[in-house]
Structure formats: structure tokens, C-alpha cells
Amino acid sequence: MAKSPADGATLFSPFRMGKFQLSHRVVLAPMTRCRAINGIPQPALVEYYSQRSTNGGFLITEGTMVSPTSAGFPHVPGIYNGEQVEAWKKVVQAAHAKGAIIFCQLWHVGRASHEFFGNESKLVYQPGGGAPISSTNKPITGRWRILMPDGSNAKYPVPRALKTSEIPEVVEHYRQAALNAISAGFDGIEIHGAHGYLIDQFLKDGINDRTDEYGGSISNRCKFLVQVVRAVAAAIGPDRVGVRVSPAIDHLEATDSNPRSLGLAVIEKLNSLQLDWGSKLAYLHVTQPRYTAYGQTESGRQGSEEEEAELMRTWRRAYHGTFICSGGFTRELGMDAVAVGDTDLVSYGRFFISNPDLMERLKVNAPLNRYVRAYFYTQDPVKGYTDYPFLNQGSHKKHDPLSRL
């Protein structure tokens, strides 16, 4: 459903996202930061999310494990047990104290995980020592490596393709995680169906080689996502559920032969669900194709910007509901996208890492702190995490070049 550009709309205009009234359109994108020691949100996470909270602002947490075997990074938070829920309550309370709306991103990495660490002497990411699960038994190959707990990088192992009979149990993990998130006080959840992780491994025909009802046709490949969305929406309500997809992104070798058609098929399924419910999802969150070039480094060859923009517009016009864009947005690109109606909201990632007051900086067009990539995935609770200065505190030292993400 195409939307007309809102007269005079900017990144700083208010927006009604379903039941939530937002005061501006600058969204904190979900980003892995590896500070939740042993899967438990620490006080540092309370400070981190509080710093980035604004009255009427919208935050999406880092990817949060839906089960003990869903991780693929060290020290990422979970939402599958009581201790994690209690720890998340403090984060949510801090964000709410600033007037922010906060969703928890539900995450299962699928084959992007590992079994052993240190000559197979120690289990890692898979507590039972089993192979990571996926739609396939094909491993991630090529240039991709997994980050291990000691900071080293390792090759991805061979995954295990889920049996058809096992899939409902994984769907249940998402459903229970959503209920747990609401128990923790979150305003809603985002289903991570993007960037080469488990749901994307079912969606993309470059990975999914199944011959059962979850493989083959686009409709079959969408089935797992649809089942997760149905289950979660039934548990907490559609208006508390966002969905993130990336049909055109090749992160972790998640390629598809026809990204445009895949994106439209996903949108058709979501629109149909909304029609059946008589209620809309909170939003659809789509990653720009240019993330392919800039996802891992600051350099890379971009595709045609006009082709990328038209692809996003095609999906934007097709979806009946709030649309969020992410990936590669500068202030100018975000302002333009909102002004012409290409998106309702813009989520920012790495700029938000180094600029806790990003919305205010963008609003006054102030200089941005440069982020320090070396601290993206460390466990230091302060350095490169909560020590980036606000606008009135001066500049951070020893920065890497600015990223477009």
C-alpha cells in the first residue's frame, strides 16, 4: 500500500506506530555488543540503553537468544529463563523512565554457530555439543568466520538440518521468548528474520535445499517465518510484533535467486495475516541492499543506488503498515527517505554506538563521534560501550573512520 509523502515530514517529526506514539523517527537499530556475561544482561546494559533513550523514542535491543542453543557470539543476552527476564526488567525500566518505547529482538542464529572451542576440548554456543541447526546441512564457507569467546575467529562447522517434526519446537521457543519479553516489561518484540540467521536460512534459496513442506517454492520457504509470526502474535498480540527481513542481503552467504520476489512473497504473507487478524503488526523492518557492501568494513562496492532505492520502494508500496528502513543511512539519506515517503522510520546502527544522543546530534546537524570498531564485541562494560560523550561533553579520542551504517 503506497503512502503519500507526509507534508514536511522529517526524521524529527512525530509518528504513530500502531498503538505507540513516537516523538521522532530516529530508531536505535538492534546491534550485537557482547556485554551480557553468560547470557545475563548486566548493569552496563541498563546504562547503555538508558543513554540512548529519549522521550517518545523507539529502541530495538540487540539480538536476544530464544533458547540455550541459539547463540553465535560470546556473551549475548537471552530471554529464555527467569534470571534473564529479571535482569531485562532493569533495562526496560531505565528506558521507560526516559519515556522511550523498547522492543526486544528475538534471535536464533541457526547454522551461524559453533560446537567446540580449543581443539574440541570445550563446548561453546551449543551446550549439549550437538551441531548447530538450520534448514540445511551445508556450512557457511568462504570469507566468513565465527567469533569465538577468546576473540579468535574459526571456521563455521557443518550444521544439522532440522527434521520436519522438530520445527514446531523451535517455533515454540520464539513464542515463549515473546511471552518472557512481555513479562520483562518490553513493549513488544522484533522477530529477526534477516542477515543469514535461522529464519533467513529457510527463506533464501541459496541456503534452503529442503525437499519437504519447508523447501522448494517461495511459499514453502516462507512457511517457517509465517508460523513463528502466527505463534508470537497469538501469544502477545500482533500490534506488539515487528518483523525484520533482508531479502537482498548476502550476509553469511544468505543469497536468493530473486530477492525482489522473495521480499514481495514475505510481504504478501504478512499482509494476509494482518487481514485475517483485523489488526496490523507493529512494523516491517527491512535492511537496505547497500548493507551488503558496508556490513563488514567501511569499504566495498555498492550496487546502483537507484536500483536499490526502487527495490525498497517496491516493498514499501506493497506492505500495509509501518515501514522501517535500515543500513547505510546518513542524516541526509534518512531525511530524504522520510521526506519522499520511502519509509516511516529510519534505524541507525553504528552511529548510535558512538553517539548516545544521536537524535539530538542529527537534529542540530552536529558533528558525530567516531566509533572504535575494536570495542564492538568486547566484554568491557565501559570502554567503547558507555563512555562515548554526549554533545556537551567534548569528543572521543582515537577513532576509526566514520561508517555509513
Side-chain angles (χ1 to χ4, degrees):
M1 178 181 291
K3 290 191 178 181
S4 301
D7 292 339
T10 74
L11 283 172
F12 319 110
S13 302
F15 181 78
R16 185 79 183 180
M17 185 182 77
K19 67 193 297 179
F20 304 104
Q21 181 61 51
L22 307 183
S23 64
H24 59 83
R25 305 177 187 222
V26 178
V27 178
L28 172 66
M31 293 174 288
T32 299
R33 300 308 313 277
C34 299
R35 264 70 173 191
I37 306 304
N38 298 321
I40 308 297
Q42 304 293 307
L45 275 76
V46 178
E47 177 68 12
Y48 176 81
Y49 285 104
S50 176
Q51 286 180 341
R52 287 152 185 81
S53 296
T54 55
N55 188 26
F58 182 41
L59 315 176
I60 310 170
T61 73
E62 60 212 272
T64 303
M65 296 183 290
V66 299
S67 70
T69 58
S70 59
F73 281 82
H75 301 295
V76 293
I79 192 74
Y80 56 82
N81 67 38
E83 186 179 5
Q84 294 162 347
V85 170
E86 289 302 311
W88 273 119
K89 285 180 180 179
K90 299 173 184 177
V91 176
V92 174
Q93 289 164 3
H96 284 168
K98 295 277 191 76
I101 294 93
I102 183 167
F103 275 35
C104 179
Q105 189 191 63
L106 305 186
W107 188 32
H108 195 308
V109 304
R111 69 175 184 168
S113 186
H114 212 287
E115 309 144 273
F116 299 105
F117 172 53
N119 296 321
E120 302 190 356
S121 61
K122 184 178 180 181
L123 299 178
V124 60
Y125 306 146
Q126 299 298 313
I133 61 170
S134 181
S135 65
T136 181
N137 58 11
K138 297 182 298 185
I140 299 168
T141 59
R143 71 184 187 278
W144 303 100
R145 296 291 185 271
I146 186 169
L147 179 64
M148 302 300 273
D150 66 347
S152 65
N153 294 291
K155 292 182 179 179
Y156 284 98
V158 175
R160 179 180 68 82
L162 280 165
K163 298 176 182 177
T164 306
S165 60
E166 293 176 309
I167 293 175
E169 181 181 359
V170 182
V171 173
E172 172 59 20
H173 290 159
Y174 281 93
R175 190 192 73 86
Q176 186 59 56
L179 288 170
N180 291 348
I182 298 304
S183 294
F186 282 104
D187 298 293
I189 64 90
E190 177 178 282
I191 296 168
H192 195 347
H195 303 168
Y197 297 116
L198 182 60
I199 292 174
D200 209 23
Q201 291 161 28
F202 277 82
L203 291 173
K204 302 282 181 66
D205 63 10
I207 300 175
N208 187 336
D209 56 0
R210 302 178 73 90
T211 58
D212 64 0
E213 64 204 74
Y214 292 92
S217 69
I218 289 182
S219 182
N220 283 1
R221 287 183 276 121
C222 290
K223 185 172 183 177
F224 179 50
L225 171 62
V226 170
Q227 289 179 333
V228 171
V229 174
R230 277 188 189 276
V232 169
I236 67 172
D239 56 358
R240 293 185 181 275
V241 178
V243 176
R244 191 176 197 185
V245 294
S246 58
I249 305 304
D250 66 359
H251 190 250
L252 297 175
E253 297 180 346
T255 60
D256 192 83
S257 60
N258 193 334
R260 180 181 183 276
S261 293
L262 176 60
L264 288 173
V266 168
I267 289 169
E268 181 184 2
K269 299 288 187 184
L270 297 180
N271 285 341
S272 179
L273 288 174
Q274 293 179 145
L275 188 61
D276 290 345
W277 295 324
S279 176
K280 291 184 178 180
L281 294 163
Y283 59 84
L284 176 64
H285 188 178
V286 182
T287 310
Q288 286 269 67
R290 61 173 164 252
Y291 177 86
T292 299
Y294 287 88
Q296 292 293 301
T297 65
E298 274 62 59
S299 62
R301 182 181 61 81
Q302 285 183 272
S304 163
E305 289 193 6
E306 185 51 42
E307 288 177 358
E308 293 171 354
E310 185 52 41
L311 184 61
M312 293 293 286
R313 289 182 191 123
T314 297
W315 295 329
R316 157 69 157 168
R317 289 191 294 264
Y319 181 61
H320 301 171
T322 297
F323 196 84
I324 305 179
C325 281
S326 64
F329 279 94
T330 59
R331 180 184 191 276
E332 293 72 25
L333 288 171
M335 291 287 281
D336 288 347
V338 170
V340 301
D342 283 351
T343 192
D344 295 308
L345 309 171
V346 179
S347 70
Y348 288 86
R350 295 169 193 182
F351 283 161
F352 241 132
I353 287 178
S354 53
N355 297 274
D357 55 350
L358 181 64
M359 192 280 290
E360 291 297 333
R361 287 177 184 263
L362 295 178
K363 191 171 185 178
V364 300
N365 202 16
L368 301 181
N369 298 321
R370 299 175 185 270
Y371 61 73
V372 182
R373 177 177 290 275
Y375 297 117
F376 279 5
Y377 306 122
T378 67
Q379 282 71 66
D380 194 302
V382 176
K383 198 165 185 61
Y385 192 57
T386 58
D387 64 341
Y388 285 102
F390 288 76
L391 189 57
N392 61 356
Q393 295 178 311
S395 61
H396 203 272
K397 299 178 180 180
K398 296 182 180 180
H399 303 289
D400 287 346
L402 279 173
S403 167
R404 295 188 63 191
L405 291 182

